């Protein structure tokens, strides 16, 4: 139908350029526009630039307006549109169909206005694949799709394209490439797309950086059960993990981190585990399960051990924010302490070498991977007070 219109333009055919600003990169925005363009039989193209997303489309006036209305009424997934502007244009279209183009860079732009999405907790579909023995990504700690996965933490520069992220060094294998290229696939243009064949990998080391034999997740779990302190390279930085029910391990962590009293954040496998230790309202449940996977301060029933939050009524709880954490937590029906992996008074470590250097006196073991964290992203902390959600730390 789109081709028909190009061949026989009539009075109702219009062409518009639409500029969308806000958090519109790294959220599957261009693939969503592509699908809408198919639905509305529009010709044209969409691309990212330094200011957001630009759509150039031609079709019936009704269809072009329909696309804009749909973006306004049902914006794609995790996007936050701050503005949609459109104007008639005569920019030449590059094909008869609708295509996703390479990102356009403007020269000498010092103010990069676009917000790349925050990192997004594992979506239900990826979680299912993670624990499905028939999936090529069964137990793969870096599974993701356009609905979930790392974003801000892996971006070197915008536009948000794989070449501008720390995934650039991993060349897509045929499977990942075919998903990346398939508009019908959940991983269509998923920039961090990866699998065990082509993507990042995980390993475990001792304090000296010596690699340990065995499945790194299993080794880490055994160490945690034995009361060891494990430095975990997470999404936006390192955490220090211990078994929260292990009194002596918690004490040792506090001593080594020189953090005698401040409450320690906890991570639990699922809501039932959290509900054994805390009261969880409907609103708090939604926050825990949100894509931001924040630490939520909850009214405690009982602390997993005395040293977690001395003298505090509230416990900071979070659900696993990434597949790596889902795998690590799977074996525990009690929470783990997940406190930021930084030497006292310093920012959270983000690279393997600095973690091995700075946390050597704190962690017994290190769970490392080779997907570089380019931007430090601390866990956000929120609490519900009355009907309000208060952000304690963004
Ligand atoms: Zn996903
Ligand atoms: Zn692959």
């Amino acid at each position: 139908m789109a081709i028909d219109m190009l061949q026989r333009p009539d009075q109702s055919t219009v062409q518009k350029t639409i500029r969308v600003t806000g958090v519109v990169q790294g959220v599957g925005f261009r693939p969503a526009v592509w699908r809408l363009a198919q639905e509305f039989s529009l010709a044209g193209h969409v691309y990212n630039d330094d200011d957001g997303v630009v759509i150039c489309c031609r079709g019936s006036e009704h269809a072009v307006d329909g696309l804009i209305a749909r973006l306004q009424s049902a914006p794609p997934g995790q996007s936050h549109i701050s503005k949609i502007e459109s104007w008639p244009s005569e920019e030449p279209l590059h094909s008869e169909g609708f295509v996703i183009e390479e990102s356009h860079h403007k020269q000498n732009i010092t103010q990069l206005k676009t917000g790349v999405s925050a990192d997004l907790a594992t979506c239900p579909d990826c979680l299912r694949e993670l624990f499905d023995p028939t999936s090529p990504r069964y137990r793969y700690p870096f599974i993701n799709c356009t609905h979930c996965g790392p974003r801000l933490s892996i971006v070197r520069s915008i536009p948000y394209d794989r070449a501008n992220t720390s995934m650039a060094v991993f060349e897509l294998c045929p499977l990942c490439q075919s998903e990346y290229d398939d508009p019908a696939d959940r991983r269509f243009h998923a920039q961090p797309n990866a699998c065990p064949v082509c993507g990042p990998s995980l390993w475990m080391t001792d304090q000296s950086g010596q690699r340990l034999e065995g499945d790194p997740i299993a080794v880490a779990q055994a160490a945690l059960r034995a009361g060891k302190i494990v430095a975990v390279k997470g999404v936006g930085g390192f955490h220090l993990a211990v078994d929260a029910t292990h009194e002596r391990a918690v004490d040792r962590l506090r001593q080594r981190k020189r953090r005698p009293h401040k409450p320690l954040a906890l991570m639990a496998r699922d809501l039932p585990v959290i509900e054994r230790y805390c009261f969880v309202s409907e609103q708090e449940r939604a926050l825990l399960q949100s894509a931001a996977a924040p630490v939520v301060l909850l009214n405690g029933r009982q602390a997993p051990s005395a040293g977690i939050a001395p003298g505090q009524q509230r416990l900071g709880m979070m659900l696993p924010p990434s597949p790596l954490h889902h795998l690590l937590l799977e074996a525990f029906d009690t929470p783990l302490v997940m406190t930021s992996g930084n030497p006292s008074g310093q920012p959270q470590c983000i690279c393997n070498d600095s973690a091995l250097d700075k946390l050597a006196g704190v962690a017994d073991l290190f769970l490392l991977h080779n997907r570089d964290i380019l931007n430090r992203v601390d866990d956000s902390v929120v609490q519900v007070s009355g009907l309000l959600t208060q952000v304690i730390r963004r």
Side-chain angles (χ1 to χ4, degrees), residues 137 172-173 175-176 194-195 197-199:
R137 295 185 180 84
L172 290 161
C173 73
L175 166 71
C176 290
C195 77
V197 174
C198 67

Side-chain angles (χ1 to χ4, degrees), residues 306-386:
I308 298 297
Q312 302 280 331
Q313 176 56 34
R314 293 202 167 209
L315 293 175
M317 279 281 189
M318 70 192 300
L319 287 170
S322 82
L324 168 55
H325 294 96
H326 278 287
L327 291 170
L328 187 62
L329 270 289
E330 187 206 5
F332 292 91
D333 63 358
T334 53
L336 296 181
V337 169
M338 279 284 172
T339 187
S340 65
N342 54 321
S344 186
Q346 294 181 35
Q348 196 180 14
C349 295
I350 57 172
C351 87
N352 294 350
D353 288 345
S354 83
L356 282 165
D357 176 31
K358 293 185 171 164
L359 300 176
V362 185
D364 300 303
L365 296 163
F366 291 78
L367 187 55
L368 303 176
H369 59 73
N370 55 352
R371 189 180 68 199
D372 288 344
I373 300 169
L374 301 179
N375 301 299
R376 180 178 292 111
V377 183
D378 290 319
D379 298 321
S380 60
V381 182
V382 301
Q383 71 176 2
V384 174
S385 174

Side-chain angles (χ1 to χ4, degrees), residues 51-351:
D51 298 313
V53 168
V54 176
I55 305 160
C56 187
C57 61
R58 179 155 62 199
S60 74
E61 190 163 9
H62 178 73
V64 172
D65 290 346
L67 172 84
I68 296 172
R70 191 73 72 79
L71 289 175
Q72 279 164 337
S73 65
Q78 301 294 336
S79 66
H80 292 280
I81 295 175
S82 53
K83 194 158 60 169
I84 301 181
E85 301 160 283
S86 67
W87 56 91
S89 78
E90 292 174 355
E91 190 182 329
L93 300 189
H94 306 155
S95 81
E96 294 185 334
F98 194 91
V99 292
I100 295 179
E101 291 196 338
E102 291 294 303
S103 296
H104 295 204
H105 303 260
K106 284 185 214 149
Q107 294 301 309
N108 303 324
I109 288 219
T110 50
Q111 292 284 327
L112 301 178
K113 286 180 269 175
T114 285
V116 171
S117 163
D119 304 304
L120 303 170
T122 318
C123 76
D125 288 334
C126 285
L127 203 51
R128 256 191 302 279
E129 286 178 51
L130 182 64
F131 291 110
D132 174 2
T134 66
S135 159
R137 295 185 180 84
Y138 177 54
R139 301 190 67 82
Y140 182 56
F142 306 98
I143 186 172
N144 67 82
C145 73
T146 47
H147 306 307
C148 73
R151 298 289 188 271
L152 188 57
S153 62
I154 59 164
V155 173
R156 180 169 285 112
S157 59
I158 61 171
Y160 174 69
D161 282 329
R162 190 172 175 104
N164 291 335
T165 71
S166 55
M167 289 301 294
V169 295
F170 300 99
E171 196 179 332
L172 290 161
C173 73
L175 166 71
C176 290
Q177 184 73 54
S178 68
E179 295 166 331
Y180 187 92
D181 293 336
D182 178 3
D185 197 280
R186 207 171 86 243
R187 299 196 165 93
F188 181 44
H189 281 247
Q191 306 305 340
N193 193 21
C195 77
V197 174
C198 67
S201 55
L202 191 68
W203 67 92
M204 192 80 189
T205 80
D206 63 13
Q207 284 181 322
S208 68
Q210 188 73 35
R211 284 203 193 206
L212 303 177
E213 291 295 314
D215 170 37
I217 294 288
V219 174
Q221 288 167 337
L224 288 164
R225 286 202 189 290
K228 302 281 191 212
I229 300 172
V230 180
V232 179
K233 185 179 185 180
V235 181
F238 275 79
H239 280 131
L240 289 164
V242 294
D243 177 351
T245 63
H246 201 297
E247 204 98 24
R248 275 180 297 121
V250 174
D251 285 350
R252 199 159 47 237
L253 174 65
R254 285 196 175 280
Q255 282 162 18
R256 290 192 192 169
K257 237 196 132 183
R258 291 193 219 115
R259 187 173 168 173
H261 307 300
K262 271 177 81 179
L264 298 168
L266 302 173
M267 188 182 291
R269 179 179 67 190
D270 51 26
L271 274 171
V273 174
I274 292 181
E275 285 175 329
R276 279 216 313 280
Y277 295 92
C278 299
F279 298 95
V280 185
S281 71
E282 214 43 53
Q283 198 177 344
E284 289 164 338
R285 176 191 307 245
L287 283 168
L288 285 164
Q289 293 177 319
S290 66
V295 174
V296 184
L297 300 182
L298 300 168
N299 280 316
R301 294 176 193 270
Q302 52 163 345
S305 62
I308 298 297
Q312 302 280 331
Q313 176 56 34
R314 293 202 167 209
L315 293 175
M317 279 281 189
M318 70 192 300
L319 287 170
S322 82
L324 168 55
H325 294 96
H326 278 287
L327 291 170
L328 187 62
L329 270 289
E330 187 206 5
F332 292 91
D333 63 358
T334 53
L336 296 181
V337 169
M338 279 284 172
T339 187
S340 65
N342 54 321
S344 186
Q346 294 181 35
Q348 196 180 14
C349 295
I350 57 172
C351 87

